[in-house]
């Protein structure tokens, strides 16, 4: 079998038996007559063929002289051991086998005619360098340790992959320099040691064909399949990235097949929830549970018989079922786990408890479609791998808890990744102080000299729209109550029904006129305390009216205990809009962080607001420049326009067609932000900086000076500022974005009425250009877009 024989090499390979024949030369004069006679017999057989001693590269001579070669090698290949030893004589490196034990021949025969013998873990690109290392050691005397275990992977007759470790005996090799060989100094060796992967350098120091490798090697091989399987199981379970691969379970099953030397076994897992005493399916790529048989979760008591339960829970030992069908029949097909296993065609199985300190975490399932293939004897093979499985399960549980913590932090707290490093530093100080026996204190986290950016996309007239939805629901509910009471009054003529109808009408008139703060609660209390008892009475008295009340009750929301139709439409519209806008902002934020790290937070109200803070104190390893602030400001304007477009693309699909208006606040003075431990969020620090927060809270209610016109308008982006230089900067950005199709020519600068404690603010209002959808090339103003969407 020839492997890569023609590749470039520093060694010219000559097959020679000279070193072995020299051994027989020495035995000719032995005092042991048998050894002397044996030596003479071997040497006489070789004598007519001097090339066997001198060396040859013509590989056809191996076949031509195979009988003589067999005589020369007979002592090294004992006929007594040929059926047990896995042994070959070959050329080094290329694996040209010309003599082998009977067991090795049988192994190759089982592998099939198409199988090619190749060292598994020796990449071709390292072949030249490995040969150089041999030359440096055995010819030049420099001890370079390039030794590593080498393996053959050879499939068995049943298709299960076996691994064999190769041990080379190179006693019969000679390394002889050619005229191309160079002198090698310690400096040369030092340079090579620093440049392992620089193949050209190795070729320069030890050129191709600069040495002759004369001789042969004897390889002894050992089946290390079980040890390798255990090692692979360990590596697979330890490697987090391995477990996430699509092929994880397939490779994992192959490894178990090699460990048990059984081709058809499968591997499954079931988790165990001690609190609920349930088995549950573990979610993962290719993960199955054979005892659950497709179910997501099942009570433990129904999944195990008393004996299997005792083995797994009480004794924490393997439970082997060598003949599933036998026990299925004995239990008349009613007892688990035999019933589920039989339904899947499983004939033998091993259930292994995954437990820590007697506490069951889950079950490893090995199953086979053959009777007796898995049994209580080979179950003991699991002893060597279960500690790693337990360790992996424990680590998976920890990783899941960490992931849950990460989700909670992402969704529920304000520790943004850009500032997380500062929290880590303070946590380390805290832990060091605690370890030193001091009273640990988590110091306040402050970022000084940062520039703020604020933006919001807010639902216009949200209070009005919400009140309108409440008003409509209350009017419908009261009208339907009135209709039912009307039927009852006409049928029974009781004055009390008329009196309740009078009060219903009074509430109806009040709600129709205006919705006051107390009205919703007053109506709710009236219905619960006055109307519902009457309806309960009528349901028992009159079947026809009971049907009307049933129809009414179906429209009552169970959560709010009142009509929740228009309010639901409003809430769902706001929720969907907020979700879509926040998702867009979050996605675009990831790109902005790549430009320069900065703190970001956003929160949903009747719309989406966001705060940005940028400065050198936040960017741990980056030097801040005003250019990055300008870049972030421009990015913010683009994203605000994109969010406007996203909303108006969504608007037609919402139950309630609301409008939005956008606002950006420009603040040129740097400030400090401090993490408020009690509120678990960042806030501006100091009295002077608080002015920024005051402006933020009041700006969206601002009016144009001398008018009753609100600053924020649908279809326009308002940019509020106080300094002339900010106006120049943002007008520059707007001109640029107008050229890119974000704005129309309708751009105005307005002065704002003074807010409480804040005066001198101005604003740029720029009309936004919209696209009908993402694929559309045509742009529209707000009014044009609304007309277009009506078509």
């Amino acid at each position: 079998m020839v492997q890569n024989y023609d590749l470039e090499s520093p060694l010219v390979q000559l097959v020679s038996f000279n070193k072995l024949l020299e051994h027989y030369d020495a035995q000719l004069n032995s005092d042991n007559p048998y050894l002397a006679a044996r030596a003479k017999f071997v040497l006489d057989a070789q004598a007519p063929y001097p090339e066997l001693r001198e060396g040859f590269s013509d590989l056809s001579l191996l076949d031509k002289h195979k009988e003589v070669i067999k005589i020369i090698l007979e002592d090294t290949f004992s006929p007594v051991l040929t059926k047990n030893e896995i042994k070959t004589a070959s050329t080094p490196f290329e694996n040209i086998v010309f003599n082998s034990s009977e067991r090795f021949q049988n192994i190759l025969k089982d592998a099939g005619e198409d199988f090619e013998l190749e060292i598994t873990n020796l990449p071709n690109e390292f072949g030249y360098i490995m040969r150089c290392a041999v030359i440096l050691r055995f010819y030049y005397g420099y001890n370079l340790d390039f030794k590593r275990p080498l393996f053959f992977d050879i499939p068995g007759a049943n298709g299960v992959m076996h691994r064999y470790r190769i041990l080379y005996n190179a006693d019969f090799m000679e390394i002889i320099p050619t005229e191309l060989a160079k002198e090698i100094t310690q400096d040369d060796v030092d340079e090579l040691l620093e440049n392992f992967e620089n193949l050209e350098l190795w070729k320069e120091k030890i050129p191709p064909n600069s040495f002759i490798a004369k001789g042969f090697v004897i390889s002894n091989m050992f089946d290390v399949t079980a040890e390798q399987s255990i090692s692979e199981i360990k590596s697979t379970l330890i490697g987090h990235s391995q477990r996430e691969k699509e092929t994880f379970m397939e490779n994992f099953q192959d490894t178990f097949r090699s460990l048990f030397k059984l081709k058809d076994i499968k591997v499954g897992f079931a988790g165990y929830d001690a609190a609920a005493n349930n088995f549950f399916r573990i979610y993962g790529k290719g993960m199955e549970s054979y005892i659950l048989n497709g179910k997501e979760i099942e009570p433990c008591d129904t999944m195990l018989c008393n004996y299997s339960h005792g083995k797994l829970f009480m004794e924490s030992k393997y439970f082997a079922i060598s003949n599933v069908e036998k026990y299925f029949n004995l239990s008349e097909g009613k007892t688990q786990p035999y019933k589920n296993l039989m339904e899947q065609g499983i004939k033998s199985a091993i259930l292994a408890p995954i437990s820590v300190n007697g506490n069951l975490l889950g079950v490893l399932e090995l199953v086979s479609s053959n009777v007796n293939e898995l049994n209580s004897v080979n179950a003991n093979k699991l002893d060597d791998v279960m500690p790693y499985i337990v360790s992996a399960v424990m680590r998976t549980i920890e990783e899941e808890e960490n992931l849950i913590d990460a989700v909670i932090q992402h969704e529920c707290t304000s520790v943004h990744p850009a500032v997380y490093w500062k929290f880590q530093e303070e946590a380390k100080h805290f832990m060091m102080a605690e370890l030193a026996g001091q009273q640990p204190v988590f110091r306040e986290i402050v970022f000084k000299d940062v520039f703020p950016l604020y933006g919001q996309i807010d639902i216009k007239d949200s209070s009005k729209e919400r009140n309108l939805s409440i008003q409509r629901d209350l009017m419908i509910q009261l009208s339907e109550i009135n209709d039912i009471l009307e039927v009852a009054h006409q049928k029974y003529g009781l004055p009390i029904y008329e009196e309740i109808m009078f009060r219903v009408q009074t509430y109806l008139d009040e709600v129709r006129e205006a919705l006051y703060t107390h009205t919703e609660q007053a109506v709710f209390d009236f219905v619960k305390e006055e109307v519902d008892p009457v309806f309960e009475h009528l349901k028992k008295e009159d079947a026809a009216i009971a049907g009307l009340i049933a129809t009414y009750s179906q429209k009552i929301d169970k959560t709010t205990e009142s009509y929740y139709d228009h309010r639901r439409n409003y809430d769902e519209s706001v929720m969907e809009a907020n979700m879509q806008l926040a998702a867009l902002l979050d996605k675009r934020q990831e790109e902005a962080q790549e430009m320069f790290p900065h703190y970001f937070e956003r929160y949903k109200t009747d719309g989406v607001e966001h705060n940005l803070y940028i400065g050198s104190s936040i960017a741990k390893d980056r030097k801040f420049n005003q250019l990055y602030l300008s870049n972030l400001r421009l990015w913010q304007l683009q994203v605000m326009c994109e969010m406007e477009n996203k909303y108006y693309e969504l608007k037609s699909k919402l139950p309630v067609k609301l409008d939005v208006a956008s606002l950006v606040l420009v603040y040129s003075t740097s400030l400090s932000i401090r993490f408020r431990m009690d509120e678990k969020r960042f806030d501006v620090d100091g009295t002077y900086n608080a002015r920024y927060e005051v402006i933020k809270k009041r700006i969206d209610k601002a009016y144009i000076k001398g008018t009753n016109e609100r600053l924020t308008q649908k279809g326009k982006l308002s940019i509020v500022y106080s300094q002339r230089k900010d106006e120049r900067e943002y007008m520059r950005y707007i001109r640029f974005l107008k050229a890119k199709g974000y704005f129309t020519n309708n751009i105005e600068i307005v002065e704002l009425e003074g807010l409480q404690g804040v005066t001198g603010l101005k604003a740029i209002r720029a009309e936004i250009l919209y696209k009908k959808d993402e694929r559309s090339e045509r742009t529209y103003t707000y009014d044009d877009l609304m007309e277009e969407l009506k078509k």
Side-chain angles (χ1 to χ4, degrees):
M1 192 78 59
V2 180
Q3 295 292 332
N4 302 321
Y5 194 68
D6 296 327
L7 288 178
E8 198 171 37
S9 169
L11 292 168
V12 177
Q13 187 74 59
L14 293 181
V15 180
S16 167
F17 301 94
N18 180 56
K19 291 282 282 185
L20 178 57
L21 291 169
E22 284 179 353
H23 174 74
Y24 288 113
D25 289 338
Q27 286 190 345
L28 277 174
N29 302 316
S30 173
D31 295 335
N32 186 325
Y34 170 76
L35 291 179
R38 174 66 186 159
K40 185 175 185 306
F41 173 73
V42 172
L43 292 170
D44 287 347
Q46 178 272 321
Y49 312 106
E51 62 269 29
L52 295 178
R53 194 184 276 268
E54 293 165 5
F56 57 89
S57 59
D58 182 0
L59 300 181
S60 66
L61 294 179
L62 288 170
D63 189 59
K64 182 179 179 181
H65 299 313
K66 65 180 179 181
E67 294 303 323
V68 178
I69 293 171
K70 192 172 183 180
I71 292 170
I72 296 171
L73 295 174
E74 195 167 28
D75 287 342
T76 57
F77 284 79
S78 170
V80 177
L81 301 174
T82 190
K83 292 183 184 297
N84 184 275
E85 287 187 330
I86 311 172
K87 194 172 186 179
T88 67
S90 64
T91 60
F93 312 119
E94 284 84 13
N95 299 322
I96 304 164
V97 176
F98 49 80
N99 201 70
S100 61
S101 66
E102 192 174 325
R103 185 177 175 191
F104 179 78
Q105 292 169 21
N106 290 333
I107 288 170
L108 285 188
K109 183 180 177 183
D110 289 342
E113 293 182 7
D114 297 332
F115 178 75
E116 291 188 3
L117 193 66
E118 186 173 1
I119 295 175
T120 303
N121 60 329
L122 186 64
N124 288 334
E125 59 267 28
F126 294 151
Y128 193 101
I129 296 170
M130 188 182 79
R131 292 164 172 79
C132 289
V134 170
I135 293 167
L136 286 170
R137 181 172 184 179
F138 291 102
Y139 181 76
Y140 291 107
Y142 295 105
N143 188 14
L144 269 66
D145 187 4
F146 196 76
K147 284 185 179 178
R148 56 186 297 191
L150 300 174
F151 301 96
F152 286 136
D153 282 349
I154 306 174
N158 62 353
V160 174
M161 189 64 70
H162 292 252
R163 173 157 284 198
Y164 300 90
R165 182 169 179 180
I166 312 162
L167 295 179
Y168 283 116
N169 182 338
D171 289 348
F172 309 114
M173 287 297 304
E174 301 172 76
I175 293 180
I176 305 163
T178 69
E179 68 277 2
L180 297 175
K182 295 182 178 181
E183 184 181 345
I184 298 289
T185 65
Q186 184 63 51
D187 289 342
D188 292 325
V189 174
D190 292 345
E191 189 177 358
L192 290 171
L193 288 173
E194 293 175 0
N195 294 276
F196 173 73
E197 294 183 352
N198 188 343
L199 183 58
E200 293 307 313
L201 179 66
W202 286 87
K203 287 181 179 180
E204 178 192 326
K205 304 296 183 185
I206 305 174
N209 304 325
S210 56
F211 285 85
I212 295 170
K214 181 180 174 183
F216 71 99
V217 294
I218 292 176
S219 307
N220 286 282
M221 282 164 272
F222 302 91
D223 190 336
V224 293
T225 305
E227 292 85 345
Q228 179 62 26
S229 299
I230 292 167
S231 177
E232 285 187 3
I233 288 169
K234 179 168 63 173
S235 300
T236 303
L237 292 172
I238 288 171
H240 178 72
S241 60
Q242 294 289 325
R243 286 179 280 133
E244 290 186 335
K245 289 182 178 176
E246 293 283 348
T247 57
F248 166 70
M249 275 307 295
E250 185 181 329
N251 295 340
F252 199 50
Q253 290 187 140
D254 284 344
T255 307
F256 269 96
R257 287 165 185 160
S258 294
L259 176 64
F260 280 80
K261 298 183 180 177
L262 298 171
K263 183 183 179 182
D264 297 322
I265 63 172
K266 296 178 182 177
V267 182
F269 290 95
Y272 176 67
D273 180 358
N277 194 29
N278 287 333
F279 282 122
F280 61 89
R281 182 184 168 196
I282 296 174
Y283 289 94
K285 296 179 176 71
M287 291 278 195
E288 295 288 346
S289 172
Y290 298 98
I291 61 172
L292 285 172
N293 191 18
K295 298 282 183 63
E296 300 294 317
I297 189 167
E298 281 290 304
C300 171
D301 295 337
T302 65
M303 296 308 299
L304 298 174
C305 63
N306 291 336
Y307 182 72
S308 58
H309 188 278
K311 277 284 187 183
L312 295 174
F313 282 82
M314 302 294 110
E315 301 178 39
S316 292
K317 289 183 179 178
Y318 312 134
F319 174 53
I321 314 166
S322 55
N323 190 333
V324 172
E325 189 172 4
K326 172 185 172 183
Y327 291 98
F328 175 78
N329 292 330
L330 285 173
S331 66
E332 298 179 349
K334 298 176 182 177
T335 304
Q336 298 287 18
Y338 315 113
K339 182 175 181 290
N340 277 353
L341 295 177
M342 270 297 290
E343 286 176 1
Q344 298 167 84
I346 294 165
K347 299 297 178 64
S348 59
I350 297 170
L351 304 181
I354 304 169
S355 58
V356 177
N357 299 325
N359 298 317
L360 191 71
L361 303 174
V363 175
L364 169 70
E365 310 162 358
L366 298 181
V367 299
S368 167
S369 56
N370 300 313
V371 175
N372 292 331
E373 203 164 63
L374 294 169
N375 50 68
S376 61
V377 176
N378 60 12
N380 290 285
K381 286 177 176 280
L382 292 172
D383 284 345
D384 296 317
V385 299
M386 287 309 292
Y388 306 117
I389 292 174
V390 171
S391 177
V393 169
M394 288 296 292
R395 191 173 60 256
T396 301
I397 291 170
E398 290 174 9
E399 287 172 357
E400 185 175 301
E401 289 173 352
N402 291 339
L403 187 60
I404 290 168
D405 288 344
V407 170
I408 291 170
Q409 179 187 307
H410 181 266
E411 297 296 330
C412 308
T413 74
S414 301
V415 183
H416 187 263
V419 296
Y420 194 66
W421 63 270
K422 188 70 172 177
F423 287 82
Q424 287 178 311
E425 283 187 356
E426 293 306 326
K428 287 175 185 175
H429 287 308
F430 185 94
M431 290 164 62
M432 287 168 64
E434 194 171 39
L435 288 170
Q438 301 168 5
Q439 184 67 36
V441 177
F442 200 94
R443 297 180 301 192
E444 285 194 316
I445 291 173
V446 179
F447 293 101
K448 296 182 178 179
D449 199 27
V450 296
F451 292 91
L453 294 89
Y454 171 75
Q456 70 171 44
I457 179 164
D458 196 33
I459 292 171
K460 289 286 288 176
D461 301 322
S462 57
S463 298
K464 179 182 172 184
E465 290 289 345
R466 184 184 289 106
N467 287 343
L468 191 59
S469 67
I470 296 170
Q471 201 173 7
R472 287 169 176 166
D473 279 341
L474 291 178
M475 287 170 66
I476 293 170
Q477 183 176 7
L478 289 168
S479 295
E480 296 214 359
I481 290 170
N482 201 54
D483 290 344
I484 295 170
L485 291 170
E486 178 73 33
V487 173
H489 180 253
Q490 287 180 0
K491 196 165 188 177
Y492 296 105
L494 295 180
I496 190 65
Y497 294 144
E498 189 176 7
E499 190 273 336
I500 297 172
M501 286 168 58
F502 171 75
R503 283 191 285 158
V504 169
Q505 191 61 51
T506 302
Y507 278 119
L508 193 54
D509 293 341
E510 184 180 326
V511 170
R512 188 180 286 115
E513 183 180 337
L515 185 72
Y516 297 103
T517 308
H518 69 279
T519 307
E520 184 180 5
Q521 186 63 46
V523 171
F524 178 82
D525 292 342
F526 168 67
V527 172
K528 289 291 288 181
E529 295 167 12
E530 306 274 352
V531 175
D532 285 353
V534 172
F535 279 6
E536 285 299 315
H537 167 75
L538 285 169
K539 278 160 64 176
K540 296 171 185 174
E541 292 290 316
D542 192 303
I545 295 177
L548 296 174
I549 294 172
T551 304
Y552 161 81
S553 298
Q554 286 174 358
K555 299 175 184 177
I556 299 296
D557 181 72
K558 289 182 174 60
T559 307
T560 61
E561 296 184 18
S562 59
Y563 264 44
Y564 187 61
D565 186 26
H566 290 86
R567 274 175 289 180
R568 180 186 294 107
N569 288 339
Y570 174 83
D571 290 343
E572 286 179 357
S573 297
V574 172
M575 187 171 64
E576 179 66 19
N578 282 352
M579 186 176 69
Q580 296 269 14
L581 294 175
L584 172 63
L585 182 59
D586 289 346
K587 185 177 179 181
R588 296 288 275 111
Q589 240 297 299
E590 292 174 10
E591 301 165 15
Q593 289 292 342
E594 294 295 322
M595 301 175 196
F596 193 86
H598 55 277
Y599 178 76
F600 164 76
E601 66 176 357
R602 59 119 178 102
Y603 37 97
K604 303 170 189 173
T605 51
D606 284 344
V608 177
E609 300 178 43
H610 66 269
N611 288 312
L612 306 167
Y613 298 100
I614 188 169
S616 56
S617 60
I618 289 175
K620 183 181 180 183
D621 301 315
R622 297 274 299 271
K623 186 174 178 59
F624 177 72
N625 187 289
Q626 283 286 133
L627 173 73
Y628 295 117
L629 172 60
S630 300
N631 183 72
L632 195 59
R633 285 175 167 178
L634 178 58
W635 170 88
Q636 185 186 33
L637 292 183
Q638 288 177 288
V639 173
M640 293 298 291
C641 291
E642 288 174 22
M643 290 170 73
E644 281 263 357
N645 266 279
K646 182 71 176 178
Y647 178 76
Y648 283 108
E649 181 187 334
L650 177 69
K651 178 180 175 180
S652 62
K653 303 167 190 171
L654 297 177
V656 181
K657 309 298 187 283
L658 304 165
D659 278 308
V660 296
S662 297
L663 171 74
V664 165
L665 174 61
V666 183
Y667 201 78
S668 292
T669 309
S670 65
L671 43 76
S672 297
I673 56 173
R674 181 184 300 271
F675 188 77
R676 307 289 180 189
M677 294 293 183
D678 53 344
E679 298 176 14
K680 298 292 183 283
R681 63 182 297 271
F682 277 99
D683 203 352
V684 294
D685 189 38
T687 307
Y688 173 74
N689 294 330
R691 181 174 183 269
Y692 172 70
E693 289 294 331
V694 171
I695 297 174
K696 265 173 49 179
K697 285 181 173 65
R698 297 174 182 170
I699 194 67
D700 66 327
K701 303 293 190 296
Y703 287 87
I704 306 300
K705 194 169 186 178
T707 73
N708 292 322
E709 182 186 341
R710 286 276 290 270
L711 166 65
T712 54
Q713 289 186 354
K714 55 194 177 188
K716 293 183 179 181
L717 173 61
S718 301
I719 303 163
V720 180
Y721 60 93
S722 61
Q723 297 190 27
R724 177 70 176 154
K725 67 182 181 67
D726 296 329
E727 180 184 302
R728 288 195 297 269
E729 180 181 351
Y730 273 84
M731 286 300 294
R732 195 171 75 242
Y733 299 152
I734 288 169
R735 282 193 293 271
F736 167 68
L737 293 175
K738 185 176 71 173
K740 289 175 69 73
Y742 283 85
F743 297 112
T744 71
N745 288 322
N746 186 4
I747 297 161
E748 58 182 332
I749 296 173
V750 296
E751 194 172 340
L752 305 186
E753 284 283 6
L755 302 170
Q756 187 180 349
V758 181
T759 56
L761 293 178
K762 298 178 74 176
I764 302 168
R765 283 202 304 201
E767 187 177 38
I768 300 168
L769 273 174
Y770 298 93
K771 291 183 178 180
K772 190 175 177 182
D773 54 57
E774 290 182 1
R775 297 177 299 280
S776 175
E777 293 298 321
R778 185 179 169 189
T779 55
Y780 303 82
T781 64
Y782 172 81
D783 292 333
D784 292 339
L785 181 66
M786 292 303 104
E787 286 298 318
E788 185 70 20
L789 292 175
K790 288 177 185 176
K791 292 179 181 178

